Amino acid sequence: MLVGAGGNIAVQIGDEGVLVVDTGVAAMGDKVLAAIRKLSSKPIRYIVNTHLHPDHTGGNEVIGKAGSTTAGGPTSILSHENTLSRMSAPLGKPGAAAPASWPTDTFFPEEKDFFFNDEAVMLYHDAAAHTDGDAIVFLRRSDVVVAGDIFITTGYPVIDSQSGGSVQGIIAGLNRILDITVPKHEQEGGTYVIPGHGHLCDESEVLEYRDMIVIIKERIEDMVKRGMTVAQVKAAKPTLDYDLHYGADSGPWTTAMFIEAVYGDVSKALNQKPAAAPKPAPAAPASKGKK
Ligand SMILES: [Zn+2]
């Protein structure tokens, strides 16, 4: 695990070469490459991107050019197909990135696996989580899960709605990680989980994080069912008991933004269940036209 270059980076090394999961921000590309070179002088064969954001894909160009496939071509950069679609959008569109950093190899179904350095490398796609192109990487023999931004220890999960993310998908992704991980003893140790941002974890920390998101989502869901507006929900502070640890009043992802995103997702989900429950009748305007 390499830290300090944007999103966390995982490096798997062995006789066949090097596999890198995520590449940090572009400005740190050379430093990341130097750090990888300290671990192994073998060719960098694969880069896997957990999703499109530039703090996870910015080093693709520098690190990709430094490596090669066994056939002599440039390093294979692997991602879910939705990640490539968004990165290859016309410049100026959200998610668009320079062609040199684009994935060269994509997978579309839910899972992909291949064998490298004596271990199975498993990729799992969770639709509509942090984005709609997330890949969780499981290094099966090493017993390490690389979570991408579905799991971060530095704050509430970032739901990139513009790139197809949703709180329901985040929970599904965390549940998948919990399916994979096995604790060693008294809920400690065992499978390691590298979060998208923050410190190295084991299953117990993912479990706590999952439970927190579920609790907050259920609180907000309950408020939406009672007809509360997003302003009223924010004022009711549904995250209060977790804010000390995860909240933020400033920066790119504030507590208010998190609450708004969850509010939007649960409202949409409730509206999609026609007449599932009789609506309480506060004098709220019909919200049928809501997107
Ligand atoms: Zn991200």
Side-chain angles (χ1 to χ4, degrees), residues 44-82:
I44 298 166
R45 299 291 192 204
Y46 293 99
I47 292 171
V48 182
N49 286 142
T50 59
H51 63 290
L52 75 151
H53 291 150
D55 54 336
H56 294 260
T57 57
N60 281 5
E61 183 176 359
V62 169
I63 295 161
K65 275 186 182 158
S68 64
T69 61
T70 45
T75 305
S76 175
I77 305 177
L78 194 58
S79 79
H80 187 266
E81 188 160 295
N82 292 345

XYZ file of all heavy atoms in Angstrom, residues 44-82:
285
model
N 6.209 -3.353 -15.098
C 4.839 -3.091 -14.633
C 3.899 -3.603 -15.725
O 3.852 -3.054 -16.822
C 4.628 -1.588 -14.370
C 5.579 -1.115 -13.262
C 3.166 -1.309 -13.976
C 5.715 0.396 -13.151
N 3.203 -4.685 -15.430
C 2.368 -5.354 -16.445
C 0.931 -4.836 -16.446
O 0.293 -4.764 -17.483
C 2.335 -6.867 -16.200
C 3.681 -7.553 -16.279
C 4.200 -7.562 -17.695
N 5.350 -8.464 -17.828
C 6.274 -8.337 -18.770
N 6.206 -7.346 -19.655
N 7.264 -9.184 -18.838
N 0.416 -4.572 -15.266
C -0.993 -4.179 -15.172
C -1.184 -2.961 -14.271
O -0.551 -2.858 -13.218
C -1.854 -5.286 -14.544
C -1.988 -6.533 -15.357
C -1.183 -7.639 -15.071
C -2.912 -6.618 -16.395
C -1.308 -8.819 -15.807
C -3.044 -7.782 -17.133
C -2.242 -8.881 -16.838
O -2.363 -10.028 -17.559
N -2.094 -2.106 -14.717
C -2.679 -1.096 -13.830
C -4.170 -1.404 -13.773
O -4.786 -1.650 -14.814
C -2.464 0.331 -14.382
C -0.974 0.713 -14.350
C -3.303 1.348 -13.604
C -0.667 2.016 -15.085
N -4.732 -1.420 -12.583
C -6.187 -1.544 -12.454
C -6.692 -0.245 -11.834
O -6.129 0.238 -10.848
C -6.590 -2.736 -11.548
C -8.113 -2.848 -11.477
C -5.992 -4.044 -12.055
N -7.723 0.326 -12.402
C -8.332 1.536 -11.834
C -9.642 1.162 -11.147
O -10.511 0.535 -11.745
C -8.621 2.583 -12.918
C -7.366 3.285 -13.437
O -7.260 3.566 -14.616
N -6.414 3.565 -12.564
N -9.784 1.588 -9.882
C -11.031 1.292 -9.161
C -12.183 2.175 -9.635
O -13.335 1.821 -9.468
C -10.859 1.494 -7.647
O -10.472 2.862 -7.394
C -9.809 0.553 -7.067
N -11.863 3.353 -10.183
C -12.878 4.236 -10.764
C -12.190 5.399 -11.457
O -10.967 5.451 -11.502
C -13.874 4.726 -9.703
C -13.277 5.563 -8.617
N -12.443 5.058 -7.656
C -13.376 6.890 -8.353
C -12.067 6.035 -6.835
N -12.610 7.158 -7.241
N -12.970 6.333 -11.976
C -12.411 7.326 -12.907
C -11.681 8.510 -12.298
O -10.937 9.197 -12.981
C -13.559 7.883 -13.778
C -14.515 8.872 -13.091
C -15.070 9.842 -14.124
C -15.647 8.167 -12.378
N -11.898 8.808 -11.013
C -11.440 10.097 -10.485
C -9.930 10.307 -10.625
O -9.145 9.379 -10.454
C -11.864 10.230 -9.010
C -13.349 10.383 -8.874
N -14.045 9.933 -7.790
C -14.260 10.933 -9.716
C -15.336 10.200 -7.955
N -15.483 10.806 -9.116
N -9.536 11.570 -10.891
C -8.132 11.844 -11.197
C -7.172 11.618 -10.025
O -5.971 11.505 -10.250
C -8.133 13.323 -11.621
C -9.455 13.876 -11.223
C -10.415 12.735 -11.125
N -7.692 11.532 -8.788
C -6.779 11.198 -7.687
C -6.508 9.690 -7.620
O -5.747 9.226 -6.768
C -7.304 11.731 -6.336
C -8.718 11.275 -6.019
O -9.476 10.945 -6.951
O -9.066 11.235 -4.829
N -7.145 8.933 -8.521
C -6.907 7.482 -8.607
C -6.356 7.068 -9.972
O -5.861 5.963 -10.124
C -8.202 6.710 -8.325
C -8.696 6.877 -6.915
N -8.499 5.942 -5.933
C -9.336 7.910 -6.309
C -9.015 6.370 -4.792
N -9.535 7.568 -4.993
N -6.483 7.945 -10.962
C -6.067 7.587 -12.328
C -5.023 8.546 -12.899
O -4.529 8.334 -14.002
C -7.281 7.608 -13.293
O -7.883 8.927 -13.239
C -8.332 6.581 -12.895
N -4.690 9.594 -12.132
C -3.804 10.636 -12.664
C -2.419 10.132 -13.052
O -1.801 10.669 -13.967
N -1.940 9.106 -12.355
C -0.603 8.582 -12.663
C -0.595 7.531 -13.759
O 0.463 6.971 -14.076
N -1.756 7.240 -14.350
C -1.825 6.188 -15.376
C -0.804 6.387 -16.487
O -0.166 5.443 -16.939
C -3.226 6.155 -16.020
C -4.260 5.446 -15.158
O -3.969 5.043 -14.037
N -5.466 5.298 -15.691
N -0.689 7.644 -16.935
C 0.166 7.885 -18.098
C 1.635 7.577 -17.778
O 2.289 6.783 -18.465
C 0.016 9.343 -18.566
C 0.836 9.614 -19.805
C 0.643 11.023 -20.362
O -0.167 11.802 -19.790
O 1.298 11.335 -21.361
N 2.129 8.200 -16.703
C 3.550 8.038 -16.357
C 3.876 6.581 -16.016
O 4.869 6.017 -16.492
C 3.901 8.965 -15.165
C 5.271 8.644 -14.595
C 3.839 10.415 -15.608
N 3.023 5.980 -15.199
C 3.310 4.613 -14.752
C 3.058 3.612 -15.880
O 3.811 2.654 -16.064
C 2.484 4.295 -13.491
C 2.959 5.209 -12.358
C 2.600 2.835 -13.086
C 1.980 5.343 -11.216
N 2.024 3.893 -16.682
C 1.731 3.015 -17.819
C 2.855 3.013 -18.844
O 3.246 1.965 -19.363
N 3.409 4.168 -19.103
C 4.489 4.260 -20.098
C 5.756 3.571 -19.614
O 6.566 3.108 -20.409
C 4.801 5.731 -20.397
C 3.891 6.300 -21.459
C 4.298 7.715 -21.851
C 3.344 8.278 -22.886
N 3.379 9.752 -22.902
N 5.929 3.518 -18.303
C 7.131 2.898 -17.744
C 7.070 1.375 -17.830
O 8.084 0.701 -17.697
C 7.304 3.329 -16.295
N 5.869 0.842 -18.036
C 5.718 -0.613 -18.035
C 5.479 -1.166 -19.418
O 5.542 -0.460 -20.416
N 5.201 -2.469 -19.476
C 4.930 -3.113 -20.756
C 4.218 -4.428 -20.527
O 4.331 -5.031 -19.473
C 6.231 -3.384 -21.507
O 7.018 -4.298 -20.772
N 3.494 -4.877 -21.550
C 2.917 -6.214 -21.489
C 3.987 -7.216 -21.893
O 5.054 -6.822 -22.382
C 1.732 -6.363 -22.470
O 2.231 -6.145 -23.791
C 0.641 -5.347 -22.171
N 3.694 -8.503 -21.718
C 4.676 -9.518 -22.131
C 4.905 -9.462 -23.635
O 5.961 -9.807 -24.123
C 4.202 -10.937 -21.740
O 2.823 -11.049 -22.102
C 4.361 -11.180 -20.257
N 3.910 -8.989 -24.373
C 4.058 -8.882 -25.831
C 4.822 -7.625 -26.240
O 5.068 -7.391 -27.420
C 2.677 -8.896 -26.492
N 5.159 -6.793 -25.278
C 5.962 -5.617 -25.582
C 5.161 -4.341 -25.759
O 5.732 -3.273 -25.941
N 3.836 -4.447 -25.692
C 3.012 -3.240 -25.810
C 3.013 -2.458 -24.517
O 3.640 -2.865 -23.544
N 2.321 -1.317 -24.495
C 2.248 -0.542 -23.261
C 1.446 -1.295 -22.185
O 0.627 -2.149 -22.518
C 1.549 0.749 -23.669
C 0.880 0.446 -24.960
C 1.611 -0.695 -25.598
N 1.718 -0.966 -20.936
C 1.039 -1.600 -19.805
C -0.468 -1.648 -20.024
O -1.065 -0.678 -20.489
C 1.301 -0.774 -18.526
O 2.701 -0.637 -18.368
C 0.712 -1.437 -17.303
N -1.046 -2.760 -19.665
C -2.497 -2.893 -19.769
C -3.150 -2.133 -18.618
O -2.846 -2.374 -17.451
C -2.831 -4.384 -19.708
O -4.206 -4.570 -19.696
N -4.003 -1.169 -18.966
C -4.729 -0.406 -17.943
C -6.177 -0.882 -17.943
O -6.884 -0.724 -18.931
C -4.659 1.114 -18.204
C -3.204 1.579 -18.321
C -5.390 1.874 -17.086
C -3.042 3.068 -18.647
N -6.571 -1.479 -16.838
C -7.832 -2.204 -16.768
C -8.833 -1.463 -15.887
O -8.485 -0.987 -14.810
C -7.501 -3.563 -16.154
C -8.476 -4.702 -16.212
C -8.829 -5.035 -17.654
C -7.820 -5.920 -15.544
N -10.089 -1.374 -16.360
C -11.135 -0.771 -15.526
C -12.482 -1.323 -15.971
O -12.582 -2.010 -16.992
C -11.157 0.751 -15.685
O -11.821 1.110 -16.888
N -13.512 -0.979 -15.213
C -14.854 -1.272 -15.682
C -15.166 -0.385 -16.884
O -14.665 0.736 -16.985
C -15.892 -1.046 -14.574
C -17.257 -1.506 -14.972
N -18.198 -0.663 -15.519
C -17.806 -2.744 -14.962
C -19.283 -1.370 -15.816
N -19.080 -2.631 -15.483
N -16.003 -0.891 -17.769
C -16.300 -0.161 -19.003
C -16.876 1.240 -18.751
O -16.562 2.185 -19.473
C -17.280 -0.984 -19.845
C -17.494 -0.389 -21.214
C -18.037 -1.421 -22.199
O -17.306 -2.379 -22.498
O -19.186 -1.269 -22.641
N -17.710 1.383 -17.727
C -18.298 2.703 -17.454
C -17.229 3.735 -17.091
O -17.415 4.929 -17.326
C -19.314 2.615 -16.312
C -20.552 1.828 -16.702
O -20.784 1.585 -17.878
N -21.334 1.415 -15.722
